[in-house]
């Protein structure tokens, strides 16, 4: 349940969560105006959210609703994707990542394979983190791409049913 989470402000302000909870120029936005635009947009989406978990759900839902799936290989910022209104799983992931970071919620893009009926296909999604009341941090899956085609968009913000996701793991042999 969402009540098991502490506010995002309870996260340690040093260490591993700092870089993945902040918008960074060149990685997340093109210029200062775009940065402020994404901060304002994220704030308007989560206004009156009861807690940070609900905020994550709202941001995932918004991303799923504002982009139409279109396979492409264009490199664009999150603001450009929203302006154009189309994109692939990388674009959905980029937009949600920027919106979450604009709210100070640690998150990272994940890539791997999605089992789609009878075949595997490359896929990208977001993993977000929220602090638990006990002090630990819970990472969970957010997939706005799959949510965009689902009746229940909130189903794709969850802690279970990861059977369809297979993260890529690199093994280096010397």
């Amino acid at each position: 349940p969402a009540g098991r989470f502490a506010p995002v402000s309870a996260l340690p302000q040093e260490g591993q969560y700092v870089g993945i909870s902040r918008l960074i120029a060149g990685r997340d936005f093109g210029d200062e105006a775009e940065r402020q635009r994404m901060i304002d947009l994220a704030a308007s989406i989560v206004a009156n959210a009861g807690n940070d978990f609900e905020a994550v759900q709202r941001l995932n839902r918004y991303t799923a609703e504002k982009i139409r799936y279109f396979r492409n290989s264009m490199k664009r910022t999150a603001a450009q994707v929203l302006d154009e209104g189309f994109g692939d799983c990388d674009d959905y992931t980029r937009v949600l990542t920027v919106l979450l970071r604009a709210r100070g919620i640690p998150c990272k893009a994940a890539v791997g394979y999605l089992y789609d009926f009878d075949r595997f296909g490359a896929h990208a999604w977001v993993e977000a983190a929220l602090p638990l009341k006990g002090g630990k941090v819970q990472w969970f899956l957010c997939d706005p791409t799959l949510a965009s085609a689902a009746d229940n968009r909130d189903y794709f913000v969850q802690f279970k049913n990861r059977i369809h996701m297979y993260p890529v793991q690199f093994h280096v042999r010397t």
Side-chain angles (χ1 to χ4, degrees), residues 17-28:
Y17 301 108
V18 174
I20 56 177
S21 63
R22 285 192 192 138
L23 287 173
I24 297 175
R27 179 187 73 183
D28 297 319

Side-chain angles (χ1 to χ4, degrees), residues 101-135:
R101 288 178 180 159
R103 297 302 303 156
I105 298 172
C107 63
K108 56 188 174 181
V111 295
Y113 291 94
L114 170 70
Y115 184 72
D116 184 16
F117 302 106
D118 62 347
R119 61 185 160 75
F120 283 98
H123 189 53
W125 62 93
V126 176
E127 292 182 359
L130 290 177
L132 299 173
K133 288 184 177 174

Side-chain angles (χ1 to χ4, degrees), residues 136-157:
K136 294 185 179 181
V137 173
Q138 174 73 52
W139 286 92
F140 55 97
L141 170 97
C142 303
D143 194 329
T145 311
L146 295 183
S148 71
D151 292 331
N152 179 3
R153 296 194 194 309
D154 291 340
Y155 176 79
F156 291 99
V157 176

Side-chain angles (χ1 to χ4, degrees), residues 13-85:
Q13 295 305 304
E14 298 122 17
Q16 64 179 330
Y17 301 108
V18 174
I20 56 177
S21 63
R22 285 192 192 138
L23 287 173
I24 297 175
R27 179 187 73 183
D28 297 319
F29 60 90
D31 60 23
E32 187 56 34
E34 194 172 277
R35 175 184 168 278
Q36 191 58 52
R37 175 181 163 202
M38 298 310 286
I39 290 170
D40 294 344
L41 175 61
S44 71
I45 295 166
V46 303
N48 303 317
N51 54 55
D52 289 328
F53 183 73
E54 184 182 339
V56 172
Q57 286 181 311
R58 286 185 184 190
L59 294 169
N60 191 72
R61 210 177 306 139
Y62 178 87
T63 303
E65 292 169 356
K66 293 298 179 184
I67 304 170
R68 285 178 297 115
Y69 187 86
F70 179 79
R71 193 174 196 169
N72 73 83
S73 59
M74 296 181 287
K75 178 71 172 154
R76 302 174 292 164
T77 66
Q80 290 169 326
V81 172
L82 287 172
D83 288 344
E84 294 168 7

